[in-house]
Amino acid sequence: MFCCLRGCLTGLRLTPAPPPRPPDNPIQLDTSHMGHEVVIVKGGQRVCGSGCALGNAPLVQSKSYFEVKLQQGGVWAIGLATRNTDLDRVHGGMDKESWCLNSDGTVRHNNLELYRLTSDRPKSPADLVTTDLLGTSPPSPSNHTVTSQVADPRTMPCEGDTIGIAFDHIELNFFLNGRNMEVPIPNIKGAVYPALYVDDGAILDLILENFHYPPPSGFERIMLEQSLL
């Protein structure tokens, strides 16, 4: 736990703090809905320790988007959950109240493996997949399609990556450094919140605005319900 806290607190100075002021964005990780061994710092934007932390606002608008920066590796999961989920778990999607991408390469819900990320990052041109520009079929002598080499979208995130989460109340989608990972999760029910799980030294940063990558078309940052009225 000490090693985790040391990394989690990097950049924070243990000097008298100035008088608190309301944050520019009131949405953050919720200290009243987190596991017993979870630590939240950086104004409610960073989580470490062991367990799950939820955001303090549900995803109420029609198309919501947020990002999570994988600051330090370890055991982690990222996705959505209701407030009925078990916040002391360190893996997401292990109950019917959570839908998550996990550091073990699985996408899970209700303890069921929906997808598995089997692809590592390409290390050489031989590791890349060649497709046409539409991504529909390999080139053949009978067509004159311009080809390009693209990595398998189901690539396992690494330390330093940014994972985008887009939810439109129809399905949940994950984006790795701006690219759709093509592991959609449909039929999500109930009021859901951003859910960040950590263990074994993992550090995650919640990004709610000033995104590293443009959201998908029509998607916006999470807004408080009263601002939608």
Side-chain angles (χ1 to χ4, degrees):
M1 174 65 77
F2 175 75
C3 293
C4 167
L5 289 176
R6 181 171 57 187
C8 196
L9 295 170
T10 299
L12 298 180
R13 301 173 60 187
L14 299 179
T15 57
R21 63 181 181 85
D24 294 334
N25 188 340
I27 302 174
Q28 56 188 303
L29 294 171
D30 191 347
T31 55
S32 64
H33 289 89
M34 67 180 192
H36 291 99
E37 297 186 14
V38 170
V39 178
I40 295 175
V41 295
K42 287 193 68 176
Q45 307 302 307
R46 173 171 290 182
V47 61
C48 61
S50 180
C52 175
L54 300 181
N56 65 351
L59 279 59
V60 292
Q61 74 238 50
S62 58
K63 293 184 176 182
S64 302
Y65 178 81
F66 64 95
E67 292 178 340
V68 176
K69 179 72 176 291
L70 181 53
Q71 290 286 3
Q72 183 168 295
V75 174
W76 54 264
I78 297 165
L80 303 177
T82 74
R83 284 186 169 173
N84 294 321
T85 195
D86 184 351
L87 298 174
D88 289 317
R89 291 185 182 270
V90 299
H91 301 284
M94 301 301 290
D95 56 26
K96 66 180 181 178
E97 306 294 337
S98 58
W99 301 259
C100 293
L101 166 67
N102 286 269
S103 59
D104 63 0
T106 62
V107 177
R108 306 185 72 90
H109 166 60
N110 201 20
N111 202 22
L112 296 175
E113 182 179 309
L114 306 179
Y115 304 96
R116 176 170 287 275
L117 307 181
T118 58
S119 174
D120 293 325
R121 292 177 185 273
K123 300 178 179 62
S124 69
D127 296 324
L128 296 171
V129 179
T130 302
T131 63
D132 63 24
L133 287 179
L134 296 178
T136 56
S137 62
S140 69
S142 61
N143 67 43
H144 302 285
T145 310
V146 177
T147 62
S148 62
Q149 290 183 322
V150 295
D152 186 329
R154 296 184 183 180
T155 299
M156 188 62 207
C158 296
E159 188 173 297
D161 283 340
T162 298
I163 301 167
I165 297 89
F167 179 58
D168 61 3
H169 296 271
I170 298 174
E171 66 181 24
L172 165 66
N173 280 280
F174 296 94
F175 294 77
L176 176 58
N177 298 328
R179 183 176 181 186
N180 196 329
M181 299 182 71
E182 299 182 12
V183 288
I185 307 179
N187 303 319
I188 295 176
K189 306 296 184 182
V192 292
Y193 299 75
L196 279 62
Y197 297 74
V198 288
D199 194 33
D200 195 27
I203 300 174
L204 302 177
D205 280 3
L206 179 64
I207 303 169
L208 297 164
E209 53 192 353
N210 301 319
F211 299 122
H212 291 185
Y213 297 90
S217 178
F219 284 78
E220 301 178 282
R221 65 182 177 88
I222 303 171
M223 294 185 288
L224 294 175
E225 188 168 13
Q226 57 264 33
S227 68
L228 298 175
L229 301 179

